[in-house]
């Protein structure tokens, strides 16, 4: 097949999945049904696409590599349920892309995400979580460890807290480097993301919440109070310290020790005290 002769491109972060047993397990996690709408991001040479499309679901694959695009379109030309499109998932208008095609249904997502853009893609999916029923994503194991980490460990960070506000996240299984071509230097992990109907906790203002969380992890060796000060929160009149006190949070703690609920409580107190920088 011409498809098999296409080499992975380093600039796209491509590592093609070639292990049939891993592909089968991913399909099992997606659980495609004939009445589903499924989006695959970065289908590559189409190994997973073929299995997902067999379900009869409305299937949309978005590929950025123009060399692969005509080969994918040719292979699925006779499949009435399949659409192959060109686009960059970081720039495409997801509501526009999926809204008109889904007929009001929520989408399942499958993706083997390039390591270099995985966090950016996760934030895009988070911003539009209402579009999705379920996401099954392959990520670098290190990122997967961060997303499922509990507070007070080195893996726990801003990404953990921000994604947990909108998703139930579960690690499904680990994928070893030998399952890919070319062979990467690290393990991967397949994770399932189930969007929540509402944010897990009330934060008052999500933009402010993100500032608080990112500020808390800006300089992990600093105390929470000093890290938030360094990130731009004004404490000249002691209002930031007062918000921490009202939240029942010791400003001498490190940011990585705070739970999602504590970050939410602090955000609400900052909002009430109007301590925006």
């Amino acid at each position: 097949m011409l498809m098999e002769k296409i080499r992975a491109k380093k600039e796209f972060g491509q590592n093609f999945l070639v292990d049939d047993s891993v592909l089968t397990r991913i399909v099992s996690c997606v659980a495609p049904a004939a009445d589903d709408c499924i989006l695959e991001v970065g289908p590559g040479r189409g190994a997973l696409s073929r299995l997902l499309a067999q379900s009869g679901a409305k299937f949309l694959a978005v590929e950025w590599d123009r060399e692969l695009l005509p080969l994918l379109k040719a292979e699925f030309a006779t499949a009435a349920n399949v659409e192959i499109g060109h686009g960059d998932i970081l720039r495409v208008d997801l509501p526009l892309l999926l809204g008109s095609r889904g007929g009001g249904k929520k989408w399942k997502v499958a993706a083997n995400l390039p390591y270099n853009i995985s966090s950016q893609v996760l934030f895009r999916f988070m911003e539009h979580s209402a579009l999705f029923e379920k996401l099954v994503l392959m990520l670098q194991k290190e990122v997967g460890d961060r997303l499922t980490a509990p507070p007070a460990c080195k893996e726990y960070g801003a990404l953990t807290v921000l994604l947990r506000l909108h998703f139930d996240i579960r690690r499904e299984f680990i994928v070893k480097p030998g399952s890919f071509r070319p062979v990467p230097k690290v393990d991967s992990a397949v994770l399932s993301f189930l969007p929540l109907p509402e944010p897990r906790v009330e934060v008052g203002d999500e933009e402010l919440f993100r500032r608080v969380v990112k500020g808390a992890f800006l300089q992990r060796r600093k105390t929470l109070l000093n890290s938030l000060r360094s990130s731009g929160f004004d404490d000249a009149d002691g209002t930031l310290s007062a918000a921490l006190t009202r939240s029942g949070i010791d400003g001498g703690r490190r940011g990585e020790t705070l739970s999602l609920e504590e970050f939410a409580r602090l955000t609400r107190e900052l909002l009430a005290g109007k301590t925006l920088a």
Side-chain angles (χ1 to χ4, degrees):
M1 290 178 62
L2 287 175
M3 192 76 77
E4 300 305 318
K5 296 180 180 179
I6 300 294
R7 293 181 178 272
K9 298 178 180 63
K10 188 175 182 180
E11 64 268 29
F12 292 155
Q14 291 173 335
N15 294 91
F16 298 130
L17 184 60
V18 296
D19 188 322
D20 289 341
S21 65
V22 173
L23 289 164
T24 300
R25 292 182 73 180
I26 293 173
V27 172
S28 179
C29 292
V30 176
D35 60 346
D36 281 339
C37 294
I38 300 176
L39 168 68
E40 185 182 7
V41 178
R45 298 192 298 202
L48 181 60
S49 312
R50 296 177 193 108
L51 298 177
L52 293 172
Q54 287 174 6
S55 67
K58 179 184 288 294
F59 181 79
L60 170 64
V62 177
E63 177 56 58
W64 180 235
D65 187 342
R66 290 187 181 275
E67 185 181 13
L68 287 167
L69 203 65
L71 299 178
L72 288 165
K73 287 186 174 181
E75 177 169 349
F76 291 100
T78 60
N81 64 314
V82 175
E83 180 181 358
I84 308 294
H86 176 258
D88 179 352
I89 197 61
L90 294 178
R91 294 181 174 83
V92 68
D93 186 328
L94 285 171
L96 181 63
L97 177 72
L98 303 180
S100 60
R101 291 170 171 81
K105 288 184 65 67
K106 293 190 176 185
W107 288 72
K108 292 181 177 179
V109 178
N112 172 16
L113 295 180
Y115 296 158
N116 58 336
I117 63 166
S118 59
S119 294
Q120 299 172 65
V121 176
L122 286 170
F123 282 122
R124 288 227 68 203
F125 287 149
M126 182 182 73
E127 290 168 2
H128 301 289
S129 62
L131 294 170
F132 305 117
E133 174 186 345
K134 183 180 187 180
L135 303 98
V136 178
L137 309 178
M138 186 181 299
L139 307 156
Q140 186 175 347
K141 180 179 178 294
E142 179 184 341
V143 177
D145 289 344
R146 288 165 59 194
L147 290 168
T148 55
C153 69
K154 66 179 182 178
E155 290 83 10
Y156 185 74
L159 188 68
T160 321
V161 178
L162 296 176
L163 269 293
R164 200 164 288 173
L165 181 66
H166 292 284
F167 295 99
D168 279 333
I169 304 172
R170 183 176 70 183
R171 190 176 80 178
E172 299 289 353
F173 59 93
I174 300 298
V175 183
K176 293 297 183 181
S179 296
F180 301 90
R181 296 293 181 273
V183 178
K185 296 179 180 179
V186 297
D187 289 349
S188 299
V190 173
L191 284 83
S192 292
F193 298 73
L194 295 179
L196 301 173
E198 300 289 341
R200 193 177 300 277
V201 291
E202 175 57 49
V203 299
D205 182 308
E206 190 155 342
E207 183 178 349
L208 176 58
F209 173 76
R210 293 185 189 186
R211 284 190 59 201
V212 170
V213 173
K214 291 178 180 179
F217 290 98
L218 183 65
Q219 295 174 298
R220 294 179 72 112
R221 293 186 179 182
K222 284 191 172 184
T223 64
L224 175 63
L225 178 59
N226 287 334
S227 191
L228 288 173
R229 284 171 173 166
S230 297
S231 70
F233 283 90
D234 186 12
D235 194 34
D237 58 359
T239 50
L240 174 57
S241 300
L244 284 163
T245 299
R246 292 195 306 272
S247 303
I249 298 169
D250 181 355
R253 291 168 59 184
R254 299 290 193 269
E256 65 263 25
T257 68
L258 271 66
S259 67
L260 170 61
E261 290 74 16
E262 287 176 310
F263 276 116
R265 191 161 68 243
L266 176 56
T267 302
R268 295 194 300 270
E269 290 297 340
L270 286 166
L271 189 63
K274 298 182 180 179
T275 60
L276 281 168

